[in-house]
Amino acid sequence: MKKILQNKKLLTVCIILIIIFSVLGFSVSLRKKRNTPLLIQSFGNDIVAVGTRIVDFPVKIISGGLNSVHDILNAQNENNYLKSRITNMQRSEAENEALTSENKQLKSALKLKDTLTSYTTINASVISRSPDSWSDLLVINKGATAGLQKNMAVMCGGGVIGRIIEVNAASAKVELITTTDKSANRFSVQATTSDGKIVHGIITVIGNNQLAFTQVVDSKKLKQGSQIYTSGLGGNSPKGLLIGTISSTTHDTFGLSDLIEIKPAGEINDPSVVTVIKRKVAG
């Protein structure tokens, strides 16, 4: 009995395998002969395709949204970085401009030290300049301990910009050449005329901080572009320091004498490093 049952099971399995292989063979043969797939196969393929599209649609939306958020975050980070770079560049440009101006003034000071062999020079930095006395005074960071004395000439940018009027231990006050104070001690200066003659005078301020060469004899022989130097005849200022050049020669308001206007050679508007001239021989 057991053998009969085992033979039936074996026979059933063989029949099932034969049916499966027959169906597969028939499907393959039929697919080769048909131009279109079977209805059931076509329906199944359509269901799979539609299902794939339905699943892909939200996935694409979510993926695109995540990419957009990522791009926005990257753009924000790049924007913040660029803003910081712009701020740093602006600060660097301001520092570079200040250093360039200071470097130019230092070069002028070194050149001055080489040419003024009869005098010693003391470099100092400007530490204060009051807005209400902008054209009159400034304060430097050197004083009596550095050898500064009252009435010493102060230069910047290759020309005289003023003289020391007050000396403290570690600082000094400089009266600018453009001061409007009528009681200020003016520089005695000189210039060479077109025929080689030396004429003397003093520096005066006329309206709107404009410098003029006054009390000059033979002023008609002074030409535009002539240089004005300190004469060394007054105070503690040495001889031969450049004040400026003659910019124009006109008549005064009364038409009685010539008015010789001077363009300052020194950096008066924005001095940061100055050179104090210390005369070796007492004036």
Side-chain angles (χ1 to χ4, degrees):
M1 187 70 178
K2 291 183 179 179
K3 292 183 179 180
I4 296 173
L5 291 175
Q6 289 178 353
N7 292 333
K8 286 184 178 180
K9 289 181 181 179
L10 181 61
L11 182 62
T12 302
V13 171
C14 291
I15 292 171
I16 291 173
L17 290 175
I18 291 170
I19 293 171
I20 291 173
F21 283 114
S22 298
V23 171
L24 291 175
F26 178 74
S27 294
V28 172
S29 176
L30 185 62
R31 186 178 61 180
K32 290 181 179 180
K33 294 179 180 180
R34 292 176 61 87
N35 294 327
T36 59
L38 295 175
L39 180 62
I40 296 176
Q41 183 180 357
S42 177
F43 181 72
N45 292 338
D46 291 338
I47 291 176
V48 172
V50 172
T52 303
R53 292 179 184 177
I54 293 173
V55 173
D56 285 346
F57 182 74
V59 171
K60 288 181 179 179
I61 293 177
I62 295 173
S63 177
L66 292 175
N67 289 334
S68 298
V69 171
H70 184 264
D71 292 340
I72 291 173
L73 293 176
N74 284 339
Q76 182 65 36
N77 292 333
E78 290 178 0
N79 188 41
N80 293 335
Y81 174 74
L82 290 174
K83 283 183 178 179
S84 65
R85 292 286 296 173
I86 290 173
T87 302
N88 291 335
M89 287 179 64
Q90 291 174 342
R91 183 168 59 250
S92 298
E93 287 177 359
E95 292 176 354
N96 184 56
E97 185 176 350
L99 290 173
T100 300
S101 176
E102 186 172 326
N103 185 48
K104 182 179 179 181
Q105 293 175 13
L106 285 171
K107 285 182 178 180
S108 177
L110 291 174
K111 183 178 179 181
L112 177 67
K113 186 174 182 179
D114 292 337
T115 57
L116 298 176
T117 55
S118 299
Y119 311 94
T120 58
T121 60
I122 302 171
N123 292 328
S125 298
V126 177
I127 58 176
S128 175
R129 190 174 185 180
S130 177
D132 57 354
S133 59
W134 191 263
S135 62
D136 297 330
L137 300 170
L138 56 83
V139 179
I140 58 177
N141 66 343
K142 294 291 179 66
T145 54
L148 271 60
Q149 297 177 5
K150 187 176 180 179
N151 288 327
M152 285 183 173
V154 179
M155 303 187 73
C156 179
V160 176
I161 64 169
R163 61 156 51 92
I164 295 176
I165 60 169
E166 183 180 305
V167 181
N168 302 305
S171 65
K173 188 176 292 185
V174 178
E175 183 179 62
L176 296 176
I177 200 171
T178 54
T179 179
T180 55
D181 187 356
K182 301 297 182 181
S183 62
N185 185 13
R186 299 297 178 183
F187 281 91
S188 299
V189 294
Q190 65 182 37
T192 304
T193 62
S194 56
D195 58 1
K197 183 180 179 180
I198 302 296
V199 295
H200 294 269
I202 61 172
I203 293 297
T204 306
V205 177
I206 53 170
N208 199 24
N209 300 328
Q210 176 63 50
L211 298 182
F213 185 20
T214 60
Q215 299 183 19
V216 186
V217 180
D218 293 333
S219 59
K220 292 182 180 180
K221 295 182 180 179
L222 291 172
K223 302 298 181 181
Q224 183 176 353
S226 298
Q227 294 183 323
I228 310 297
Y229 296 92
T230 56
S231 63
L233 299 178
N236 200 20
S237 301
K239 181 179 180 180
L241 303 180
L242 180 63
I243 297 290
T245 57
I246 296 176
S247 58
S248 63
T249 301
T250 59
H251 293 290
D252 60 12
T253 54
F254 302 101
L256 300 177
S257 61
D258 291 329
L259 183 61
I260 305 172
E261 295 184 359
I262 299 173
K263 179 181 179 181
E267 180 54 68
I268 299 176
N269 294 326
D270 187 25
S272 58
V273 178
V274 300
T275 301
V276 181
I277 308 302
K278 184 176 181 181
R279 196 170 184 173
K280 287 186 177 180
V281 180

